Amino acid sequence: MKKSVRALSLLMILILTVSLFTACGSSSTNGGTANGDNKPTVRKDGFPIVDEPITLTVMSQDVGMADWSTMPVLQEMEKLTNIRLEYQLVPMDSFATKKNLIFASGDYPDFLYAADLTPAEQVTYGSQGALIPLEDLIDEGYAPNLKKILDENPDIRKNITTPDGHIYALPFIDKAAVWYRGPVWYNGNFLEALGVTELPKTTDELYAYLKRVKEEDPNGNGQQDEIPLSSVKLDDIRMFFLGFWGIYDEVRYVDDEGKVHYTPQEEGYKGYLTFLNKLYSEGLLDSETFSQTDDQKKAKGHDNRVGLFSDYFPYFTMGDEPSFKHPLMTPVASEIEGTPVYGKHPGMSANGTFAITSANPYPEATMRWVDYLYSYEGATLFNQGPEGLLWEYVDEENHIKRWKEVPGGGDREEYRGTITPNYGILTPGINDPETVKGLRSEFDEWIDKETQEKLAPIARVPFPNVYLTVEEQTEASALLADLNTYVEQMEAKFVTGAEPLSNWDQYVEQLKKMGSDRIVELYQAAYDRWNQNQ
């Protein structure tokens, strides 16, 4: 009897012990998770993200401004989250190659930052299992900031969901963006010298103005050395000028009826070529357009020789200080009804900026880490640095800030590049106007005013961020490799006159033989899927 009681007591103790360990292994705090593998608890809200320190490896592009391990932003992030990062940094110009090697080897970092993952790479590496799906992590509460954005902007969710229904990478989101490519600017010195008070509104008026620049010596040096319009291989002005003929993307766009168009075979593209050929043949388009570098173009601007040019800001080319002197070009209308138009920024990056790999032992904690960047506080930290270093609050309740003096003097942007990784590379997170209240200069406000008056009213998004299936992408990539080369060569020939525009029909016929109509079919199918995706 005693043996039976003792055995029963031992059995009850064993059951209680197992129960206690099981309970510990499934415990949660603040909606967090933990398990019997000694993984730390992950909080779904608040900080730190994990109750015990963890380490993650991250691969990213490096612009070479500073050692990431010493950057105040990343040091602050480690203190805030309890997550330490080990960095696998690759120079920007070799990142794409290194990224491919990493995926080929199977030796993955835990996550990729500033990943520059194309839609094709997202589909390929996601379907292969190298990248993990993120939608459940988002919807289960590990990305409350991002989920709020996606719930309020359903098209963004559609734009990052692949054909198999998964989200493998996260974008940079900027719903206030208008610029898709760098805009075009007038040399204000020339406008003043020529007495121009009203900018051209049509292609004919633009042509007449460029003729005046060539013939009337607006730089006043007594020589006919002015270059009315300068460019670098047309890459910097192509999209802007295509809008004069109703086209709002260089490769493909979708019209109001949902029909996909391949730009290089459209009649509007022929109008664009015809106009540029006219400018080139009369010496109004830089004769070195197809051979010069951007630095060479800028040198001409610094010498006050260029009348019309593209750049991010006009003073980059003109070599002077930020001012209101060089106005943004108002796109001009052609003979085509409904012009001009302007290809608007889609509000998010087409390429994925962040992804979690299958090697990551802590995907929930990693998602919480990146989700902070989609909040006001996280966007402020990563874009401007910790409070008190480069900026301080004037009115914290209303998010109004002011800049502080740069420690040791020097350029604020260059110093910013030493305190945060978000410099010179496309990174996950948001552009939130709230984060820059009080920090914007009069020049910044002027740029916004020019943009809202001249571009926003005619701007339209060319194409959503659609995904092709693996098979479709393989076919499209092969076709576009040849098509892109042929189109680039023929554009230069048509513009310079090496190929007469009377051969347009033969050119279009060759495009079709090379598969241009098939490209339309593939992207039409992808667009239709996107349009039906709820």
Side-chain angles (χ1 to χ4, degrees), residues 186 200-203 206 240 243-245 329-334 339-341:
Y186 284 100
K201 291 183 172 61
T202 67
T203 52
L206 177 61
F240 203 91
F244 306 167
W245 282 270
M329 181 187 188
T330 302
V332 298
S334 66
T339 59
V341 294

Side-chain angles (χ1 to χ4, degrees), residues 318-429:
M318 293 304 299
D320 50 13
E321 296 298 317
S323 71
F324 312 150
K325 190 172 190 177
H326 310 294
L328 178 67
M329 181 187 188
T330 302
V332 298
S334 66
E335 69 280 1
I336 295 178
E337 185 179 353
T339 59
V341 294
Y342 174 76
K344 182 181 185 295
H345 193 285
M348 54 164 280
S349 58
N351 288 359
T353 60
F354 175 91
I356 300 175
T357 74
S358 57
N360 191 317
Y362 309 110
E364 296 88 354
T366 308
M367 180 58 76
R368 276 291 326 275
W369 186 95
V370 74
D371 181 65
Y372 187 58
L373 278 64
Y374 293 92
S375 69
Y376 165 81
E377 294 80 8
T380 292
L381 175 63
F382 272 75
N383 291 329
Q384 296 150 19
E387 180 183 358
L389 189 58
L390 264 182
W391 63 275
E392 61 189 4
Y393 276 116
V394 175
D395 180 351
E396 185 170 2
E397 183 178 353
N398 293 301
H399 294 163
I400 299 174
K401 308 167 184 168
R402 66 181 169 205
W403 291 117
K404 298 183 66 176
E405 292 295 321
V406 177
D411 181 79
R412 181 184 294 117
E413 269 301 287
E414 289 186 5
Y415 180 74
R416 192 179 71 83
T418 68
I419 67 174
T420 177
N422 287 23
Y423 178 89
I425 51 178
L426 191 62
T427 57

Side-chain angles (χ1 to χ4, degrees), residues 221-332:
N221 66 357
Q223 304 175 39
Q224 197 177 79
D225 62 346
E226 288 83 357
I227 301 168
L229 170 63
S230 191
S231 173
V232 179
K233 298 179 176 60
L234 302 180
D235 292 339
D236 49 350
I237 66 170
R238 184 182 298 111
M239 191 158 172
F240 203 91
F241 274 56
L242 281 170
F244 306 167
W245 282 270
I247 294 176
Y248 35 102
D249 189 75
E250 302 171 35
V251 181
R252 60 186 174 273
Y253 63 98
V254 61
D255 62 24
D256 292 336
E257 283 70 48
K259 180 181 177 183
V260 175
H261 297 262
Y262 179 62
T263 293
Q265 66 187 25
E266 294 293 316
E267 280 297 312
Y269 185 75
K270 180 183 179 183
Y272 151 82
L273 292 175
T274 302
F275 184 69
L276 288 184
N277 170 254
K278 179 180 180 179
L279 299 185
Y280 189 89
S281 65
E282 297 187 25
L284 306 182
L285 172 61
D286 197 334
S287 62
E288 296 181 326
T289 286
F290 296 99
S291 60
Q292 70 180 342
T293 65
D294 188 60
D295 285 342
Q296 289 170 327
K297 183 195 75 172
K298 280 181 167 60
K300 296 171 183 177
H302 288 15
D303 288 342
N304 197 32
R305 295 175 54 209
V306 179
L308 192 64
F309 57 89
S310 175
D311 211 328
Y312 193 77
F313 290 137
Y315 65 89
F316 290 176
T317 289
M318 293 304 299
D320 50 13
E321 296 298 317
S323 71
F324 312 150
K325 190 172 190 177
H326 310 294
L328 178 67
M329 181 187 188
T330 302
V332 298

Side-chain angles (χ1 to χ4, degrees), residues 1-17:
M1 182 70 178
K2 287 183 180 179
K3 287 183 179 180
S4 298
V5 171
R6 182 179 298 170
L8 182 59
S9 299
L10 289 172
L11 179 61
M12 291 300 295
I13 291 170
L14 178 62
I15 291 173
L16 284 171
T17 303

Side-chain angles (χ1 to χ4, degrees), residues 53-79:
I54 62 172
T55 299
L56 297 171
T57 58
V58 53
M59 177 182 172
S60 185
Q61 304 183 62
D62 185 14
V63 298
M65 296 294 288
D67 181 352
W68 284 32
S69 65
T70 65
M71 286 183 174
V73 164
L74 294 172
Q75 291 177 335
E76 182 73 15
M77 196 66 172
E78 181 177 342
K79 288 188 291 184

Side-chain angles (χ1 to χ4, degrees), residues 18 22 47 91 116 138 148 173 192 200 262 287 290 356 366 382 421-423 427 509 526 530:
V18 171
T22 302
F47 292 100
D116 197 25
I138 296 170
K148 183 175 185 294
I173 298 172
E192 182 179 350
Y262 179 62
S287 62
F290 296 99
I356 300 175
T366 308
F382 272 75
N422 287 23
Y423 178 89
T427 57
E509 183 179 348
W530 176 90

